[in-house]
Amino acid sequence: MTEKDFIPKPYTHTLETGSVTWESPSNIALVKYWGKKKNQIPENPSLSFTLNKCKTITTLSFTKKLKEDHTFSFDIYLDGEKKADFKPKIQTFFERIEIYLPFLKKYVFKIETENTFPHSSGIASSASGMSALALCLMSIEKQLLDADVSHKEDEGPFTQKYFNQKASFLARLGSGSACRSIEGALIAWGKTEGIEGSTDLFGIKYPYQVHENFKNYQDTILLVDKGEKQVSSTVGHNLMYNHPYALNRFQQAHQNLETLKEILGSGDLDAFNALVESEALTLHAMMMTSMPYFILMKPNTLEIINRIWNFRQKTGLPVSFTLDAGANVHVLYPHNESQKILQFIKSELVVYCQNGHYICDQIGLGANQTQ
Ligand code: PMV
């Protein structure tokens, strides 16, 4: 497939007004995406767990303009409050996707959004937020084409598969990692030899058998620092240009995906823990070795990591951590060990969280339309 496949045929129906609602989850990468080319094309492939509870719920209301005025007309509300500061990001998003959704300038939109996780939790809402908005826009396009989304994957002109692919494609143009939030439970994004069907254009469902050990895998998110990130991921990605270790890193991500594929099939939790922790620390090592360099981990991030290592060594229990572009720690463990590991988290790790805040989440199945 190419970008051109996402340019729609002329719309066959008109719509005056309406609204759609989607809830879309966040995701956590096991193999990290860090570094991008033009148009949000990733420098390396990534693989993520879709989350279940950490979601954005977005309602998109639309009214047809009486006269087309060649501008994007929209307002954004977060928790009922108008957010003018969110507008530039959405304006850029609309500019990037207009060619794929030619109805955008014909309507006035109201975007109402809320997150299930606390607003300033340090959890990036861009993946869940951009995917929820992309899905809402796809639901409108579907009505304009009067397309019956066939639930049989490969039938009809506008299949469920195409709907998801285009939603992921659009979400990617809003925020790269957002393309991995449409479906679950494991999503691969970025062309790599070892994963059949993988592409830079959108996320695909991981196409191979996954061992029982990874069913309902748990992710307890320890909120170490709820403040704004000092360095945005856009800036971070850009620092991978001319980075001294970039080429090796991009190559390593392909190899790590190959290794992870074996691990996901065999259920080898020791190998899983080693791989995801190495990926997390490599991501942060890239940040520390870029120019300018920066550190997003906080002292409590390191405290938590050390305590996880000690606990794992002492008990032999399969618990590990991963990090995204911030100080918060995602503690990963299998469902059947939840009791002992959650007990450890509560008694030893929560003290390092800001205001004792943490979120118990687990692997999820993707986004849902609720209206
Ligand atoms: O989607 P972005 O541009 O915010 O980048 C996110 C990058 C990481 O979260 C650090 C890694 C990943 O693969 O999600």
Side-chain angles (χ1 to χ4, degrees):
M1 276 184 109
T2 70
E3 277 98 342
K4 287 208 181 79
D5 294 309
F6 294 114
I7 297 175
K9 297 201 192 90
Y11 296 134
T12 49
H13 283 65
T14 51
L15 272 178
E16 290 308 318
T17 181
S19 88
V20 288
T21 303
W22 276 87
E23 44 177 61
S24 189
S26 187
N27 68 74
I28 180 71
L30 304 173
V31 172
K32 309 288 181 182
Y33 147 60
W34 198 241
K36 61 180 166 186
K37 303 177 194 157
K38 220 171 142 242
N39 294 331
Q40 308 270 98
I41 295 296
E43 286 278 14
N44 67 260
S46 56
L47 188 91
S48 54
F49 275 156
T50 303
L51 295 183
N52 189 40
K53 278 202 213 145
C54 289
K55 286 186 211 161
T56 296
I57 302 149
T58 297
T59 297
L60 183 63
S61 312
F62 52 95
T63 307
K64 196 151 199 264
K65 290 179 185 171
L66 295 173
K67 206 166 148 256
E68 218 178 303
D69 57 6
H70 308 289
T71 57
F72 299 116
S73 307
F74 62 92
D75 276 314
I76 311 159
Y77 295 79
L78 175 67
D79 299 329
E81 213 177 288
K82 203 167 180 170
K83 285 285 191 191
D85 49 327
F86 285 11
K87 283 191 91 163
K89 194 160 187 197
I90 303 298
Q91 174 76 25
T92 308
F93 179 49
F94 280 4
E95 282 164 13
R96 284 188 192 151
I97 63 173
E98 192 198 358
I99 173 174
Y100 308 107
L101 297 175
F103 65 86
L104 284 179
K105 283 185 177 154
K106 297 190 165 66
Y107 288 87
V108 177
F109 294 103
K110 184 178 183 191
I111 306 165
E112 290 168 284
T113 189
E114 60 187 84
N115 298 321
T116 58
F117 42 92
H119 177 39
S120 55
S121 61
I123 297 186
S125 57
S126 62
S128 52
M130 284 297 177
S131 54
L133 182 56
L135 284 157
C136 287
L137 292 167
M138 281 307 294
S139 287
I140 298 174
E141 174 155 272
K142 184 188 142 199
Q143 293 177 52
L144 289 167
L145 286 164
D146 192 37
D148 170 28
V149 174
S150 162
H151 287 275
K152 291 189 189 131
E153 286 259 297
D154 278 318
E155 279 178 23
F158 199 92
T159 60
Q160 183 65 45
K161 188 171 169 185
Y162 179 79
F163 184 97
N164 286 341
Q165 285 176 345
K166 184 163 173 182
S168 172
F169 171 84
L170 297 173
R172 188 198 95 227
L173 292 168
S175 166
S177 59
C179 80
R180 300 187 311 236
S181 278
I182 308 295
E183 295 178 273
L186 275 153
I187 301 292
W189 169 42
K191 178 120 198 78
T192 189
E193 229 171 70
I195 299 189
E196 216 188 312
S198 59
T199 163
D200 288 342
L201 296 181
F202 49 82
I204 63 160
K205 265 172 103 118
Y206 179 72
Y208 307 107
Q209 193 78 25
V210 175
H211 193 276
E212 276 292 310
N213 283 350
F214 298 105
K215 295 265 154 73
N216 297 324
Y217 221 69
Q218 304 292 299
D219 178 2
T220 300
I221 309 164
L222 305 178
L223 305 178
V224 170
D225 183 27
K226 303 200 256 173
E228 280 270 310
K229 276 190 273 184
Q230 293 136 324
V231 180
S232 72
S233 49
T234 309
V235 172
H237 285 294
N238 285 337
L239 291 173
M240 289 302 278
Y241 288 112
N242 298 321
H243 189 294
Y245 307 131
L247 291 182
N248 276 332
R249 161 60 197 154
F250 301 148
Q251 215 182 348
Q252 180 200 39
H254 287 271
Q255 286 154 5
N256 278 350
L257 262 176
E258 284 277 349
T259 310
L260 187 55
K261 183 174 155 187
E262 281 164 34
I263 294 169
L264 291 171
S266 69
D268 183 342
L269 292 177
D270 290 339
F272 177 81
N273 292 338
L275 190 136
V276 297
E277 290 186 351
S278 163
E279 271 290 321
L281 295 179
T282 300
L283 168 71
H284 284 257
M286 291 299 112
M287 299 172 187
M288 289 190 241
T289 48
S290 58
M291 192 55 83
Y293 41 80
F294 59 105
I295 301 179
L296 295 183
M297 291 186 283
K298 298 282 181 199
N300 283 353
T301 312
L302 298 180
E303 272 295 342
I304 290 169
I305 291 174
N306 277 305
R307 283 180 181 267
I308 290 174
W309 285 343
N310 287 340
F311 176 78
R312 188 166 71 211
Q313 203 180 17
K314 216 168 57 198
T315 62
L317 288 169
V319 55
S320 59
F321 70 87
T322 188
L323 307 166
D324 56 18
N328 296 334
V329 182
H330 290 248
V331 187
L332 304 175
Y333 48 99
H335 184 244
N336 63 356
E337 303 286 6
S338 290
Q339 222 187 341
K340 283 184 225 145
I341 293 173
L342 201 52
Q343 181 55 41
F344 154 67
I345 291 173
K346 285 182 189 159
S347 64
E348 281 198 49
L349 304 185
V350 168
V351 62
Y352 298 106
C353 298
Q354 207 175 339
N355 304 324
H357 282 168
Y358 64 101
I359 299 170
C360 288
D361 209 340
Q362 61 173 7
I363 203 165
L365 295 175
N368 285 309
Q369 183 170 12
T370 55
Q371 185 207 314

